[in-house]
Amino acid sequence: MMSDCIFCKIVKGELPCVKVYETEKVLAFLDLNPVNQGHALVIPKEHFENLSSTTDEFLSELIVVSKKIGAAVLAATGSVAFNLTVNNGKEAGQVVAHTHFHIIPRFNGDGLRLWSGKAYAAGEMEAMGEKIKQYVEKN
């Protein structure tokens, strides 16, 4: 755990939170600044800076717990849909440098906007696909 990480402080009980679920490895709690009421965070209790640095063991439990919390958030809020979001790195909007999954219940007209897509030029999609495949095969 990192001593200055806000989520590590929550895990250690040094900062309060409204817990909604907990296992030996994972903690789920309500976001302090929710997009919509019921917005929850699911975090590993061990410190990992981002998704890319999180071990597969923890990621497996994070996704299983996120599924469980997502269903509970839907039931509790009366929503029929949610976004499961992970911001991986500062440039992607990650504010706290500790892996966390957002579960955001969605409602018609709630004002949350998703990103808009950008079209590939001719041949760009195939070229990018090949580049990504090369990196996947190396790892």
Side-chain angles (χ1 to χ4, degrees):
M1 289 200 196
M2 294 196 56
S3 61
D4 60 342
C5 172
I6 189 168
F7 288 170
C8 288
K9 288 179 179 182
I10 289 171
V11 169
K12 290 188 280 188
E14 295 174 4
L15 290 175
C17 74
V18 175
K19 291 181 188 180
V20 295
Y21 188 76
E22 186 171 12
T23 69
E24 187 178 309
K25 294 180 181 160
V26 173
L27 176 64
F29 55 94
L30 293 181
D31 192 303
L32 194 57
N33 190 27
V35 172
N36 287 317
Q37 287 193 6
H39 178 169
L41 302 176
V42 180
I43 69 168
K45 287 184 171 180
E46 188 172 314
H47 183 84
F48 298 98
E49 187 172 320
N50 56 37
L51 181 76
S52 299
S53 66
T54 306
T55 65
D56 290 351
E57 175 187 0
F58 276 89
L59 286 174
S60 296
E61 187 153 347
L62 283 167
I63 198 67
V64 169
V65 170
S66 293
K67 179 181 175 184
K68 178 185 288 280
I69 300 306
V73 165
L74 292 181
T77 63
S79 175
V80 295
F82 67 89
N83 288 107
L84 174 63
T85 306
V86 180
N87 299 330
N88 191 58
K90 183 178 176 182
E91 293 77 8
Q94 184 178 2
V95 177
V96 178
H98 184 120
T99 301
H100 56 288
F101 289 15
H102 293 263
I103 298 170
I104 305 169
R106 297 302 307 275
F107 303 91
N108 283 329
D110 66 11
L112 181 59
R113 297 185 60 188
L114 299 179
W115 56 85
S116 56
K118 300 174 189 170
Y120 283 100
E124 284 182 331
M125 182 183 272
E126 293 77 9
M128 182 56 66
E130 283 303 314
K131 284 172 85 172
I132 292 170
K133 278 196 257 183
Q134 288 174 11
Y135 285 104
V136 170
E137 290 168 1
K138 287 180 185 177
N139 296 311

